[in-house]
């Protein structure tokens, strides 16, 4: 009897083990099948860059840079052949980027801080913008560190001072590794240096103490570290003390930004009157739907050209309104009034369309001399 019970127990254990293993195997098989189905339902990531990725990057300068000259070369990269506009208090320009997307503006800065807007568009109507604040000051900002750091900064200035040198580097990299793309090239050329960089931050004082203050400007806050050697002035060069500063004063803090610690230390702080809001200017674009003398219609809006309007028609020297035709692609920097209507047309750049004789070019324009002769 004991033997039969023992056999029954062993048989039960074996049967239970078989059932357990069967259930485990079945579940594992189902899980594998589910995982395969899920993997098949997930799209494979594309290795090609998105064609919707638009870019506009200023490579010659960084936001809030402090410069000591009014004449400036601003260079950068946009889409190849894009129309790029520069809008500042002292200047309005529209130019075309070259076939590699490189553009260079020769412009001037006013004394103090300058708000600059770069806008790039194309014939599809897409538009990208980038805003920059650059400060021009002749006040000498002494380096606060050792001679070695001064040499490092001098080397950085030499490498980035001329827009043409930056442009040449971009072109060389483009020729060597086109597949890397403009964005990666820009990142390599403008990677942050270890040496401090001269900067100038502007805005109202949000809070302050003897060691630091916080500025706020257009919904951005900036921490400014102060030191015993920091110089305080009112206006251009009237000396004041730290005690003369108060919350809501508008100031320009000039000094050195340290990339390693992400700290800005002010060497000079100027209290100035808060500037008036700039004129409302923007870049508009579209196809010309009507030409009536000096008046043009674009997207239902009327643009009136004047003697002060800087008019450029691609491929035409000394262009006038007579060189315009229906269907031309027009890009214009305009000043808007308080109602949002066009008040002034500052600068116009036109890409001739198929109805414009200026847009008719020889089919062998890009051919080599031998190829052209063969035709």
């Amino acid at each position: 009897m004991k033997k039969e019970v023992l056999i029954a127990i062993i048989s039960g254990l074996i049967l239970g083990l078989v059932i357990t293993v069967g259930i485990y195997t079945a579940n594992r098989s189902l899980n594998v099948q589910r995982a395969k189905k899920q993997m098949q339902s997930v799209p494979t990531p594309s290795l090609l860059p998105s064609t919707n990725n638009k870019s506009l990057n200023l490579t010659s300068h960084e936001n809030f840079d402090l410069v000591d000259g009014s004449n400036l070369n601003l260079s950068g990269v946009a889409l190849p052949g894009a129309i790029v506009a520069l809008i500042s208090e002292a200047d309005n320009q529209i130019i075309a980027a070259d076939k590699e997307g490189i553009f260079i503006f020769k412009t001037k800065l006013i004394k103090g801080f300058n708000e600059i807007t770069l806008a790039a568009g194309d014939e599809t109507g897409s538009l990208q913008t980038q805003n920059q604040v650059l400060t021009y000051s002749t006040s000498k900002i002494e380096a606060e560190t050792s001679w070695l750091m001064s040499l490092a900064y001098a080397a950085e200035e030499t490498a980035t001072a001329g827009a043409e040198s930056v442009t040449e580097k971009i072109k060389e990299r483009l020729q060597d590794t086109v597949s890397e793309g403009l964005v990666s090239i820009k990142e390599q050329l403008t990677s942050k240096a270890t040496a401090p960089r001269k900067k100038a931050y502007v805005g109202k004082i949000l809070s302050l103490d003897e060691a630091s203050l916080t500025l706020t400007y257009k919904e951005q806050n900036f921490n400014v570290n102060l030191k015993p050697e920091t110089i305080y002035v009112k206006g251009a060069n009237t000396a004041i003390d730290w005690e003369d500063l108060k919350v809501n004063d508008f100031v320009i803090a000039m000094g050195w930004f340290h990339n390693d610690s992400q700290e800005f230390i002010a060497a000079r702080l100027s209290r100035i009157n808060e500037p008036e809001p700039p004129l409302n200017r923007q870049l508009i674009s579209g196809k010309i739907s009507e030409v009536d003398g000096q008046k043009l219609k674009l997207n239902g809006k009327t643009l009136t050209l004047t003697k002060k309007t800087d008019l450029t028609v691609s491929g035409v020297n000394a262009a006038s309104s007579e060189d315009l035709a229906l269907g031309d692609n027009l890009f214009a920097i305009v000043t808007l009034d308080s109602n949002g209507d066009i008040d002034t047309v500052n600068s116009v750049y036109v890409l001739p369309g198929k109805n414009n004789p200026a847009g008719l070019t020889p089919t062998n324009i890009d051919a080599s001399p031998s190829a052209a002769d063969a035709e």
Side-chain angles (χ1 to χ4, degrees):
M1 186 68 178
K2 291 182 179 181
K3 184 177 179 181
E4 294 175 352
V5 171
L6 183 60
I7 292 173
I9 293 173
I10 293 174
S11 299
L13 290 174
I14 294 173
L15 179 62
L17 182 62
V18 170
I19 293 173
T20 301
V21 171
I23 293 173
Y24 171 78
T25 304
N27 286 336
R28 186 173 182 277
S29 177
L30 287 174
N31 288 335
V32 170
Q33 290 178 5
R34 289 194 191 102
K36 286 182 177 179
K37 288 182 179 180
Q38 289 176 356
M39 290 178 66
Q40 291 172 354
S41 65
V42 176
T44 303
S46 174
L47 298 180
L48 297 175
S50 171
T51 56
N52 295 324
N53 183 25
K54 309 291 185 180
S55 63
L56 170 64
N57 291 293
L58 185 66
T59 57
S60 59
H61 294 79
E62 294 180 1
N63 203 13
F64 298 105
D65 271 355
L66 175 63
V67 299
D68 56 9
S70 61
N71 294 318
L72 202 65
N73 289 332
L74 291 176
S75 65
V77 289
L79 290 177
I83 305 303
V84 187
L86 179 149
I87 304 173
S88 71
E89 186 171 346
D91 200 4
N92 297 285
Q93 292 188 54
I94 307 179
I95 61 175
D98 67 15
K99 62 182 181 180
E100 294 167 343
I102 297 167
F103 61 87
I104 301 175
F105 286 104
K106 295 183 182 296
T107 186
K108 282 193 173 184
L109 301 181
I110 60 172
K111 211 65 171 297
F113 78 98
N114 295 252
E115 292 188 276
I116 298 172
T117 297
L118 293 175
D122 56 28
E123 298 180 28
T124 66
S126 67
L127 182 68
Q128 302 87 46
T129 61
Q130 182 177 0
N131 298 315
Q132 296 277 332
V133 174
L134 301 178
T135 296
Y136 161 46
S137 174
T138 56
S139 301
K140 191 169 182 60
I141 305 300
E142 296 290 347
E144 58 186 12
T145 51
S146 66
W147 63 271
L148 183 60
M149 189 169 288
S150 299
L151 286 177
Y153 180 74
E156 181 187 358
E157 277 194 325
T158 301
T160 61
E164 287 83 357
S165 63
V166 175
T167 301
E168 287 305 316
K169 290 181 181 179
I170 296 173
K171 286 184 175 180
E172 289 174 7
R173 295 288 288 112
L174 280 168
Q175 292 169 356
D176 293 340
T177 53
V178 175
S179 61
E180 293 183 19
L182 292 174
V183 175
S184 61
I185 294 170
K186 184 261 177 183
E187 290 173 350
Q188 292 180 41
L189 292 177
T190 59
S191 59
K192 292 182 177 179
T194 56
R197 189 178 183 94
K198 278 200 293 188
K199 294 281 186 179
Y201 293 101
V202 302
K204 285 184 177 180
I205 297 178
L206 191 63
S207 63
L208 77 161
D209 56 43
E210 293 184 1
S212 65
L213 57 83
T214 301
L215 300 181
T216 182
Y217 183 69
K218 293 190 174 181
E219 300 181 353
Q220 282 186 288
N221 292 341
F222 308 99
N223 294 322
V224 178
N225 293 316
L226 307 174
K227 60 179 183 177
E229 296 80 14
T230 300
I231 297 172
Y232 303 94
V233 298
K234 179 179 68 173
N237 210 23
T238 303
I240 60 174
D241 296 323
W242 173 86
E243 291 82 0
D244 296 318
L245 299 176
K246 60 182 183 299
V247 171
N248 287 329
D249 280 349
F250 197 93
V251 301
I252 301 178
M254 296 177 283
W256 298 87
F257 182 80
H258 296 256
N259 288 305
D260 51 356
S261 61
Q262 293 293 295
E263 290 183 332
F264 174 75
I265 300 176
R268 182 183 180 90
L269 193 142
S270 300
R271 189 182 72 191
I272 63 174
N273 294 326
E274 184 174 358
E276 295 292 329
L279 296 174
N280 186 5
R281 283 171 294 171
Q282 60 183 241
L283 178 69
I284 63 172
S285 65
K287 292 185 181 296
I288 298 176
S289 58
E290 185 177 326
V291 179
D292 183 10
Q294 298 298 105
K295 291 187 176 182
L296 315 173
K297 279 197 175 179
L298 185 79
N299 298 333
K301 297 181 178 181
T302 300
L303 284 68
T304 302
L305 307 182
T306 67
K307 292 181 179 180
K308 294 183 178 180
T309 302
D310 180 20
L311 174 62
T312 301
V313 178
S314 181
V316 177
N317 294 324
S320 68
S321 59
E322 296 179 355
D323 297 305
L324 305 179
L326 301 183
D328 287 352
N329 284 287
L330 183 145
F331 301 81
I333 298 174
V334 298
T335 302
L336 306 180
D337 60 21
S338 57
N339 296 320
D341 297 323
I342 296 175
D343 182 39
T344 307
V345 181
N346 307 102
S347 186
V348 172
Y349 193 102
V350 176
L351 294 175
K354 61 181 180 180
N355 297 323
N356 193 329
L360 302 177
T361 56
T363 56
N364 64 347
I365 190 169
D366 294 325
S368 63
S370 58
D373 294 338
E375 293 181 358

